[in-house]
Amino acid sequence: MPSDDDAQTQDKLTQAQLTAIENEIKSSQPLTSQLLPISALLHQYSTTAANEQQQSAGFIQSAQFLSTKYTSLRRVRGDGNCYYRAFLYSLCEHLLLRNSNNNETGGLKEFSRIKTTIANSLKWVCQFGYEEMTIDMFYEELVELFDFIETSLSAADNNDKSASTSAGAAEDESNRNNAQQQLHAKLNEENSTSDYCTWYLRVLTAAQMKSNPDRFLPFLLADETNMMMDIPTFCSREVEPMGKECGMVTVAALAECLGVKVVIEYMDGRLSNNDNDAAVGGIDIGRSGEVVNHVFGQIHDENDEDRDRICLTLLYRPGHYDILY
């Protein structure tokens, strides 16, 4: 039987290995990449080793289909937080660019709505078992991130008023690009804004589920594990800890909490060999590699105000999310 010293030595070796893997991921994967052409997705699977080509055929077919719908993507670090991180980045980017673009309507109203929701969220989440002193610093980080976006928007608005000349328009474009670069840098700082805000999004997700357990409990009971689990237990195990992957129920909860629409393209590698509608396991996989998407947070009775709601588009591949454009 191993001694306590042997067990401690093994624990240290295991932790050292985990730390080495984490450091390798950090050195090779930014939290969120620069904008990449959608062709990078096809290239990734086209260069697969020969012994994996059969497995990748469905992904190649799906990548070809996605290239007809989208032009770009951003990769997100695969650390178990990719959905929340992708949601955060895409939401902030949409709000920043949408509101600084004169061609968009209703943008400032939408920014104000989401900012108000976040500003009022601290007291709200504390109704569901969270201590204000424990989560306040994470909440403040998200509030400060939205303050940064608001400051950038104010500067853009002032520039718009003076952009009647070509020189003014060029300055406006330069300031807009600068604001986007600042946002990108802020959300790529290690152990900083992105991580703090990501965890607070987890808290918002859990609070949304706890606020309406009848809405979400049936999805937990239908989970593939077939484990009977109540909402608080599920949240403590699967939502609140950093590094826990996000499933469909938590995708829906966060979208509904902030009142945004999330479109997710599901690229799971299923291969379709004909032009007819095909189904695998009861799931429609479309025509010739067509990728099926699911919409969360959708408002079915849309009025003019609802049509101004933010819509985020993400790419799902088994166990991972990236951002689509």
Side-chain angles (χ1 to χ4, degrees):
M1 182 176 181
S3 66
D4 290 343
D5 287 343
D6 290 339
Q8 290 178 5
T9 299
Q10 184 59 46
D11 287 344
K12 289 180 180 179
L13 290 172
T14 300
Q15 186 57 49
Q17 185 177 21
L18 291 174
T19 300
I21 293 172
E22 181 179 347
N23 289 337
E24 182 179 355
I25 291 174
K26 287 183 176 180
S27 65
S28 61
Q29 301 178 17
L31 293 177
T32 312
S33 76
Q34 295 288 346
L35 202 61
L36 302 171
I38 195 67
S39 58
L41 194 60
L42 180 59
H43 177 75
Q44 176 182 346
Y45 294 105
S46 298
T47 56
T48 303
N51 60 350
E52 298 179 10
Q53 284 182 354
Q54 181 61 38
Q55 181 181 352
S56 298
F59 287 102
I60 291 174
Q61 195 177 68
S62 296
Q64 290 171 333
F65 171 76
L66 288 173
S67 68
T68 67
K69 292 183 65 177
Y70 302 97
T71 60
S72 308
L73 81 155
R74 286 189 196 273
R75 300 192 190 279
V76 180
R77 179 180 292 173
D79 59 359
N81 301 306
C82 53
Y83 175 75
Y84 298 96
R85 211 181 296 282
F87 183 101
L88 174 69
Y89 191 105
S90 186
L91 176 64
C92 292
E93 186 177 44
H94 268 79
L95 290 171
L96 180 64
L97 299 182
R98 187 183 200 222
N99 289 289
S100 59
N101 187 337
N102 287 330
N103 294 323
E104 293 283 358
T105 59
L108 291 175
K109 183 187 293 185
E110 178 70 341
F111 173 80
S112 178
R113 181 190 67 79
I114 297 176
K115 187 174 188 294
T116 299
T117 298
I118 290 171
N120 295 336
S121 67
L122 182 60
K123 298 295 184 184
W124 176 68
V125 300
C126 287
Q127 299 176 35
F128 303 103
Y130 300 99
E131 295 184 6
E132 185 171 334
M133 291 183 60
T134 304
I135 65 175
D136 181 67
M137 64 185 297
F138 302 95
Y139 160 79
E140 289 292 343
E141 194 72 32
L142 187 56
V143 170
E144 289 176 10
L145 179 60
F146 269 70
D147 287 342
F148 162 79
I149 295 173
E150 187 170 39
T151 299
S152 299
L153 293 176
S154 297
D157 183 55
N158 291 333
N159 288 331
D160 286 341
K161 295 174 182 177
S162 61
S164 57
T165 66
S166 58
E171 182 181 359
D172 179 49
E173 181 66 21
S174 175
N175 289 334
R176 186 178 295 119
N177 290 339
N178 184 51
Q180 188 176 10
Q181 290 170 10
Q182 289 181 49
L183 176 67
H184 183 79
K186 182 179 284 289
L187 292 178
N188 271 282
E189 295 176 16
E190 297 286 351
N191 305 314
S192 187
T193 300
S194 183
D195 283 345
Y196 279 63
C197 294
T198 290
W199 188 75
Y200 192 70
L201 289 184
R202 288 180 175 273
V203 172
L204 290 177
T205 302
Q208 181 70 14
M209 295 182 68
K210 293 175 182 178
S211 71
N212 191 359
D214 292 340
R215 162 81 174 90
F216 297 103
L217 188 59
F219 296 98
L220 303 188
L221 300 182
D223 186 78
E224 60 185 15
T225 62
N226 291 319
M227 293 176 60
M228 300 287 288
M229 194 181 305
D230 59 28
I231 295 288
T233 301
F234 177 82
C235 290
S236 66
R237 293 182 182 179
E238 304 296 332
V239 184
E240 293 160 0
M242 289 288 278
K244 285 289 187 177
E245 294 181 0
C246 187
M248 292 180 70
V249 63
T250 38
V251 169
L254 182 55
E256 292 170 17
C257 179
L258 293 182
V260 301
K261 185 162 70 173
V262 180
V263 176
I264 298 182
E265 300 279 3
Y266 278 80
M267 183 179 176
D268 56 11
R270 289 191 177 96
L271 185 62
S272 175
N273 294 318
N274 56 62
D275 290 335
N276 298 318
D277 288 346
V280 176
I283 301 174
D284 178 21
I285 64 172
R287 301 181 179 88
S288 297
E290 180 176 334
V291 176
V292 171
N293 63 46
H294 292 272
V295 181
F296 299 87
Q298 188 171 22
I299 301 170
H300 297 290
D301 183 21
E302 293 190 344
N303 54 41
D304 290 342
E305 182 178 349
D306 294 331
R307 282 196 290 271
D308 290 331
R309 295 288 176 96
I310 289 288
C311 179
L312 314 180
T313 305
L314 306 181
L315 170 66
Y316 173 81
R317 287 173 287 172
H320 186 70
Y321 292 90
D322 289 313
I323 308 171
L324 287 171
Y325 299 80

